[in-house]
Structures are given as C-alpha cells and as structure tokens.
C-alpha cells in the first residue's frame, strides 16, 4: 500500500494598481506593450522601486494564516533566459521571504478539519507573454513585473480531495482579504502540484514530480490521480528509479495525462543571488498596522454563524465558502429575518433559481436586503411561503417592489379568523358528504379541505390558521 | 572546499565555457588557490552577528501604488527594438 504526498505552490496575482517595481498600471491594456516603461523592460540604468501596497498585501496574507511576517526580507535574482523576461532574471525572494510558516485549516467531506502547514509566501515579479506565429514569436510585456505572491504549502496533503480542499480554502481566503481577484481561468490564481508516493509507514519522501500550471480544481484532481497511478505502477513494476525522476511535467487536459517537459529540468541552477539593485525590504510599524486590518475570515465566520446565529455547520460552511455568498447572507440579516429562514431561502430557494439560470450570486437580480425583506414578510404573516416563492419567481425576472407585487398578485395573507371561517363554512357546506366521511375517521380528507380553502383564498390564507380553524370546524 | 573534475565539469556547463583536457589540472589548481584564499575569512568570528546581504544601512525605498504611464516611452522603445510589429517585440520562434 502506498501513501500519496502532495505539496502545492500557488501563484496569486496581487490586485495592486501598479506593478511590483515600477508605476506601470497592472490593469488590462488594449494595446500590447502599452503598460511598459524602462524598468519593466529592463533598460540599462532603470532601477526597481518596491510597491508598498504589494508588500502590505503579502503581509496581510501572512497575518491571516498565522505566519511569521519577516520585518526584514530580501529580493533575489533568479536567472533564466527567455524572451518573456527582458532582464534575463526574475526578481523573487529565495533566501528570506516576507512570509514564513503559517497554517491553514481545510474542511473535509466527513465534517472534520485538517491542519495544513505552510512553508512560505514570497513576493516576485510575473513574466510577459509570448505568442508563437510561424518562425517568429511575438512578445507582449504588459504583464511583465506584475506582483505575484507565491504561496508554498508544506507537503501535508495525502489525497487529491485534500489538495482540492486546500486550494478552495486558499482561494476563499485571498478573495476575502481582497489581495487578488484569484481567477483561475484568467491566470490570476495558478497552481503547481508536487506529487510523490511512498510505501505506507516509510518516513522518507519518494521522488517528487512537479506538475505545472493547472487551471481548474477539476484538473488538479485529475492530474494527481494520473500521476499517483503512474508512480504506483512504476514502483510495482520495479522501474521506479528510472521512471519517476525529479522533473517538471505538464498536464494534458485533452488526454488526461501528464507529460515530461524535457529540456527544462536541466536548468536546475538559477544562480540565485541577492539583487544588488534592491536593499532589504524593511517593514515599518505603520505597514504592520495597515496589514493587520482585515475582514472577518471564513473560519471565524463559520464559528460565529454556528455559535451566535444557530446556523448548522454544513450550512455555515456553504455560505462562508465565498465572500460574496457570506456578504449576501449578512445583508439578508439586516432585515431582521431569522437566520434559520434566511439560510433556507438563500441556499435552497435563491441558489436553486440562480443555478437554473446559470447565474452566480454576484449576478443575482435581487439584493440580499430584498430577499431578507421577503423572508421577514413571511415571518410577519404578511404573505405565506407559497406566495413568497411566487414573488421570488417574479423578482428573478423583474425589479419591482415586494409590496407592489403582493398587491398586484393578490397575495396579502389573510390572517383574519372571520374571513377564513367564512371560506371554511362555504367549503364544508358544499362538501357535506366528505365532511361526514372525515368525521367517521377518513383523516386523509383533511388535506383536501386545506387545499380547497387555500385555493378559494387565492393562496393568501395563512396556512397555520387554516389548519387550526378547520380542525375546530370539522372536529 | 575541494575542486575536483566533477565540480569543474558543472562549472563549465553553467558558464558555457569549454576547458581543454590538457588545461584542466592547471585550472583546478588555480580555482583551489582562489578558494583557499577566500577561506581566510573563516578566521573572523561571526558567531554573534546576523547574516547580512548588504553593506548598506537601511531598507529599500518604497513608492505608493499610483499608476503612471507615458505611452511615448514604450513607443520609443519599440521603435528602437531590433524588430517590432504591431507594437509587439518580435523574436525568432521559441519552442516551449
């Protein structure tokens, strides 16, 4: 039996307005190479100057994961020759990163949590982009110099499920912290996976293979599954030493296999050395204070929802999985509707409808406040649940006020005993035979009477009242 | 630290230099001399000092996150590039 050992390296593009070492905008440019200057094009004499905000965002991440934020860190040059890097080196942090250690807790399917240790997180500059076109390559350096935070975990994950849970948690945290847009498809959240296997009980790690640039959680799971199978087979066939070598592999999305990136693994020596253009990065007390200002993070939110709002753990995890959903939920609560009903109306009613319409929570046609208002109207007996569902259907299509819809759809709940009794009397009078059968013990008929009363009232009668009064009248 | 033929071979690779067979013994001796000279530094007692990466005092300067872009600059640079087209820098095909 084998054990899988997984460590993850995630490159998070920080959402600063400017690049890491120059004032060029990081925003989308319509023209290639429009966002460039002598510094990010590495012209002789141009010097890098650190973006204070990028350092603060890195520090904020450090505090969020209980890491040590180094008050002194240094930048190193990593040499490599490729047209996407005009300086022929990347400025990164190898010898002393800004964030060291830390931990992150992942939520597993069975309801348990697991602690994943963090190795470090360091600042570095992104490269440009090449497009290949026949016998030339076109180079666009708009992205060159964009700040990245490379977040390196300890090899603490033991299955692809844990790896995916880690990525989801990390993704959620950087989104809550608002340090990155973390969009996998757009490349602002890129992950490399390190995978090895070892016989169960063996302490030493096996040979680690790095799989680069996988752009969805699904592919991460698929790439790990393939790699574990490949390594296990090699071990069982006695060819582990020759088949599994420390190398970089690429995941082929179409075939579901990983392939060796031959040629690149020889570039093992990047000639790291401290960048003489940059002195130590020393963080000031003001920066520390600024970095420590952060919103409530998902783990704390889940606990608060459970302890203070009485939300079930499963629901709390669902709602807190993204900040958009959590903030929507909190907006609902401002209407004074009960947390329990807000959970149901958000996770079942609204998410169900959004799903059907292929919309995300950010694209919801109605705000959290409005859904909260709808829920509070049920709780105040202004409308019943069925009526509220009909209103929600309409709100998915049009932007009307709830009160106007209640009136125009005739859904104002009838709570007045007299009005309901009048309907009940009518129904019983028209269905004497059924009333008799019910009294003789055919209890199933009760549902028929409830249905009739609701129908005649146009769905507006208070169902609890209907039940109560019917019981009296028929009993 | 001893320089041997394996280390020399690695250094040749990293520096893209080829050293003729009949020169190797001489080069190894010279490199070893240089290293042993540097080893004089070991006589200094540095146990009570933190590692430092610079002889300069103070940290690097920082700037605020305010964008500035002068398209005339990138235009100038592109027009002086050995080859450019549609505002792309053009290089011989590179195979990934």
């Amino acid at each position: 039996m084998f054990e899988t050992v997984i460590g993850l390296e995630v490159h998070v593009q920080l959402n600063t307005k400017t690049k890491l070492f120059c004032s060029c905008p990081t925003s989308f440019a319509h023209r290639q190479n429009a966002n460039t200057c002598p510094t990010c094009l590495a012209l002789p004499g141009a010097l890098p100057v650190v973006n204070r905000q990028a350092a603060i965002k890195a520090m904020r991440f450090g505090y969020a994961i209980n890491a040590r934020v180094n008050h002194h860190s240094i930048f190193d040059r990593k040499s490599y020759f490729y047209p996407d890097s005009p300086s022929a080196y990347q400025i990164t942090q190898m010898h002393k990163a800004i964030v060291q250690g830390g931990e992150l807790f992942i939520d597993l399917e069975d309801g348990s949590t697991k602690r994943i240790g963090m190795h470090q997180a360091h600042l570095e500059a992104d490269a440009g982009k090449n497009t290949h076109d026949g016998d030339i390559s076109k180079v666009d350096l708009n992205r060159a110099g964009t700040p990245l935070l490379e977040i390196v975990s300890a090899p603490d994950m033991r299955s692809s499920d844990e790896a995916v849970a880690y990525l989801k948690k990390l993704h959620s945290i950087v989104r809550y912290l608002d340090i990155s847009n973390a969009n996998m498809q757009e490349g602002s959240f890129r992950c490399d996976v390190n995978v090895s296997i070892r016989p169960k009980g063996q302490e030493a790690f096996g040979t680690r293979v790095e799989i680069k640039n996988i752009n969805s959680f699904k592919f991460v799971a698929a790439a790990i599954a393939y790699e574990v199978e490949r390594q296990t087979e090699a071990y069982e066939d006695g060819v582990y030493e020759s088949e599994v070598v420390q190398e970089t592999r690429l995941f082929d999305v179409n075939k579901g296999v990983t392939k060796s990136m031959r040629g690149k693994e020889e570039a093992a020596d990047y000639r790291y050395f401290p960048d003489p253009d940059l002195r130590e990065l020393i963080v000031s007390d003001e920066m520390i204070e600024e970095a420590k200002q952060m919103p409530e993070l998902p783990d704390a939110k889940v606990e608060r929802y459970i302890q203070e709002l009485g939300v079930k753990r499963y629901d709390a995890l669902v709602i807190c999985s993204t900040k958009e959903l959590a903030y929507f939920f909190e907006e609902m609560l401002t209407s004074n509707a009960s947390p329990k009903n807000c959970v149901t109306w958000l996770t079942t009613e609204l998410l169900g409808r959004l799903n059907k319409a292929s919309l995300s929570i950010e694209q919801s046609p109605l705000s959290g406040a409005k859904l909260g208002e709808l829920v509070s109207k049920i709780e105040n007996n202004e409308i019943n649940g069925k009526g509220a569902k009909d209103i929600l259907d309409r709100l998915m299509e049009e932007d009307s006020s709830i009160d106007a819809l209640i009136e125009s759809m005739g859904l104002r709940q009838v709570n007045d005993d007299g009005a309901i009794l009048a309907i009940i009397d009518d129904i019983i009078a028209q269905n004497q035979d059924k009333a008799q059968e019910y009294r003789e013990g055919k209890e199933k008929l009760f549902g028929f009477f409830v249905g009739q009363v609701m129908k005649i009232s146009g769905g507006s009668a208070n169902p609890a009242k209907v039940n109560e009064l019917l019981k009296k009248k028929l009993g | 630290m001893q320089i041997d033929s394996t280390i020399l071979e690695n250094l040749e690779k990293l520096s893209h230099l080829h050293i003729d067979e009949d020169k190797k013994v001489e080069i190894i001796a010279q490199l070893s001399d240089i290293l042993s000279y540097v080893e004089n530094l070991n006589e200094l007692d540095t146990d009570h000092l933190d590692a430092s990466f610079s002889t300069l005092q103070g940290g690097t300067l920082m700037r605020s996150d305010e964008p500035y872009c002068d398209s005339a600059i990138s235009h100038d640079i592109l027009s002086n590039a050995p080859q450019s087209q549609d505002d792309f820098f053009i290089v011989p095909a590179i195979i990934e």
Side-chain angles (χ1 to χ4, degrees):
Chain A
M1 280 301 281
F2 294 94
E3 180 174 55
T4 306
V5 176
I6 302 166
L8 290 159
E9 291 167 25
V10 178
H11 286 86
V12 168
Q13 206 175 73
L14 296 177
N15 57 355
T16 52
K17 295 192 194 81
T18 67
K19 294 185 179 181
L20 185 51
F21 296 113
C22 62
S23 298
C24 288
T26 49
S27 54
F28 178 78
H30 289 277
R31 196 72 189 158
Q32 44 275 12
N33 291 308
N35 293 349
T36 57
C37 74
T39 302
C40 54
L41 294 178
L43 294 204
L47 285 172
V49 184
V50 175
N51 182 342
R52 185 175 181 272
Q53 199 57 34
I56 287 178
K57 284 180 188 259
M59 292 162 68
R60 184 168 294 143
F61 175 75
Y63 292 123
I65 59 160
N66 303 325
R68 188 173 89 209
V69 172
N70 282 322
H71 294 183
H72 293 236
S73 62
I74 57 165
F75 289 104
D76 297 284
R77 289 186 181 180
K78 176 185 182 178
S79 300
Y80 73 96
F81 298 90
Y82 206 64
D84 63 5
S85 169
S87 55
Y89 58 80
Q90 177 191 34
I91 304 180
T92 178
Q93 297 192 294
M94 208 281 272
H95 291 101
K96 199 171 179 195
I98 189 162
V99 174
Q100 258 182 348
E103 60 188 3
L104 191 148
F105 295 88
I106 57 172
D107 307 294
L108 300 172
E109 288 264 313
D110 62 4
S112 65
T113 58
K114 178 176 172 176
R115 178 191 181 274
I116 305 295
M118 304 296 274
H119 175 58
Q120 69 171 40
H122 58 264
L123 283 165
E124 62 183 31
D126 206 349
K129 279 180 183 167
N130 304 315
T131 7
H132 310 293
D133 185 3
D135 52 4
I136 58 160
S137 290
K138 299 169 168 178
V139 183
D140 174 11
L141 297 168
N142 279 343
R143 200 182 64 184
T146 299
L148 297 176
L149 187 65
E150 179 173 345
I151 302 164
V152 185
S153 82
D156 282 356
M157 283 145 283
R158 296 288 173 267
S159 69
S160 60
D161 285 348
E162 290 185 9
V164 171
Y166 167 86
L167 288 170
K168 284 187 173 163
K169 194 55 168 286
L170 185 63
H171 186 262
S172 155
I173 289 174
V174 301
R175 296 269 311 155
Y176 269 99
L177 291 174
D178 192 26
I179 60 172
S180 170
N181 299 333
N183 186 313
M184 284 186 108
Q185 277 72 44
E186 288 169 11
S188 53
F189 189 92
R190 314 196 277 264
C191 53
D192 303 340
V193 187
N194 290 308
V195 189
S196 65
I197 60 161
R198 62 181 173 191
K200 269 227 164 94
Q202 177 184 309
E203 202 153 315
F205 290 126
T207 304
R208 145 177 85 94
V209 163
E210 182 177 6
I211 314 167
K212 276 229 173 282
N213 276 334
I214 319 178
N215 72 353
S216 85
F217 295 143
K218 206 176 79 188
F219 293 149
V220 166
I224 292 172
Y226 176 82
E227 195 53 34
V228 168
E229 195 183 305
R230 185 181 76 87
Q231 295 181 18
T232 308
E233 268 176 27
Y235 204 105
E236 285 168 346
D237 296 348
V239 291
Y240 184 76
E241 302 288 319
S242 59
E243 288 294 313
V244 182
V245 293
Q246 191 164 335
E247 62 174 356
T248 302
R249 296 175 75 86
L250 277 181
F251 182 64
D252 183 328
V253 174
N254 299 317
K255 296 190 181 124
V257 302
T258 65
K259 284 182 188 157
S260 178
M261 266 177 84
R262 292 204 193 283
K264 220 199 154 179
E265 69 253 40
E266 278 192 42
D269 194 328
Y270 290 116
R271 302 164 173 81
Y272 283 103
F273 70 99
D275 190 324
D277 284 347
L278 289 155
R279 296 198 212 166
E280 271 186 305
L281 174 59
I282 302 178
V283 301
S284 64
D285 292 344
E286 292 87 67
M287 287 172 76
I288 293 171
E289 203 168 300
E290 222 177 308
K292 282 186 172 167
Q293 285 167 8
M294 63 179 88
E296 187 181 32
L297 293 171
D299 286 349
K301 233 183 228 311
V302 167
E303 283 315 311
R304 180 168 65 84
Y305 285 4
I306 296 171
Q307 303 299 333
E308 290 177 21
L309 303 177
V311 175
K312 286 190 200 131
R313 174 167 289 273
Y314 174 83
D315 292 326
L317 284 171
V318 169
I319 293 170
C320 298
S321 64
T322 70
K323 72 168 180 186
E324 287 75 17
L325 206 52
Y327 292 169
F328 194 97
F329 175 68
E330 287 172 17
E331 216 186 300
M332 287 180 74
L333 294 177
T334 59
S335 67
N336 290 324
S338 74
K340 184 171 176 283
N341 288 332
C342 285
V343 168
T344 313
W345 278 82
L346 173 59
T347 59
T348 312
E349 298 303 332
L350 182 65
L351 288 187
R353 284 167 174 79
L354 289 173
N355 245 340
K356 222 180 214 171
S358 302
L359 295 173
S360 65
I361 189 75
E362 297 101 291
Q363 297 165 315
S364 165
L366 70 159
S367 67
K370 203 160 194 176
L371 187 59
E373 184 191 343
L374 188 66
V375 177
S376 67
K377 284 189 186 296
I378 308 172
E379 294 177 351
N380 296 338
N381 289 324
E382 286 181 57
I383 47 174
N384 62 38
K386 171 76 176 62
K389 284 180 193 175
D390 294 342
I391 291 174
L392 183 54
D393 285 334
R394 285 282 287 272
L395 289 175
M396 295 296 292
E397 307 295 330
E398 61 183 71
D399 183 25
S400 312
S401 90
I402 294 177
D403 282 325
L405 285 175
I406 291 176
E407 293 315 323
S408 69
M409 294 166 76
L411 291 171
R412 187 162 297 283
Q413 182 159 271
V414 179
N415 297 307
D416 170 37
D417 286 9
I420 297 174
L421 277 172
I423 299 175
I424 290 176
D425 288 341
D426 267 0
I427 304 269
I428 294 179
Q430 286 161 28
N431 298 282
Q432 296 275 7
D433 47 340
K434 288 207 170 70
Q436 193 54 37
E437 284 177 48
Y438 173 80
R439 289 183 184 112
E440 283 163 6
K442 204 166 173 191
E443 287 188 9
K444 270 201 294 194
L445 280 168
F446 190 73
F448 162 81
F449 285 101
V450 174
Q452 287 298 306
V453 176
M454 293 308 288
K455 194 173 151 195
I456 301 293
S457 76
S460 66
N462 179 335
K465 280 245 154 79
V466 172
N467 271 295
E468 180 195 322
L469 296 172
L470 258 177
K471 279 222 170 86
K472 266 189 203 154
K473 277 280 172 185
L474 286 169
Chain B
M1 186 182 171
Q2 280 302 309
I3 302 276
D4 56 22
S5 55
T6 322
I7 291 180
L8 185 65
E9 207 174 281
N10 194 28
L11 288 174
E12 285 183 65
K13 209 192 283 171
L14 291 176
S15 57
H16 296 278
L17 288 174
H18 173 72
I19 294 166
D20 290 333
E21 264 328 297
D22 56 346
K23 287 253 181 183
K24 282 192 173 166
V25 176
E26 188 190 342
I27 295 276
I28 286 177
Q30 288 177 352
L31 288 173
S32 301
D33 276 353
I34 294 170
L35 279 189
S36 55
Y37 176 71
V38 174
E39 272 170 9
N40 285 333
L41 289 172
N42 289 342
E43 287 171 24
L44 291 170
D45 177 14
T46 55
D47 286 352
H48 58 289
L49 295 173
D50 286 335
S52 67
F53 292 89
S54 166
T55 53
L56 298 170
Q57 283 283 319
T60 195
L61 289 175
M62 283 180 242
R63 61 183 166 78
S64 60
D65 190 27
E66 282 158 31
Y68 172 78
C69 199
D70 182 351
S71 57
I73 295 175
S74 53
H75 184 79
D76 274 357
I77 296 172
L78 277 160
S79 63
N80 281 293
Q83 206 187 339
S84 67
Q85 177 196 313
D86 295 337
D87 287 356
F88 280 111
F89 293 102
I90 303 298
V91 296
I94 34 173
I95 289 104
E96 298 233 287

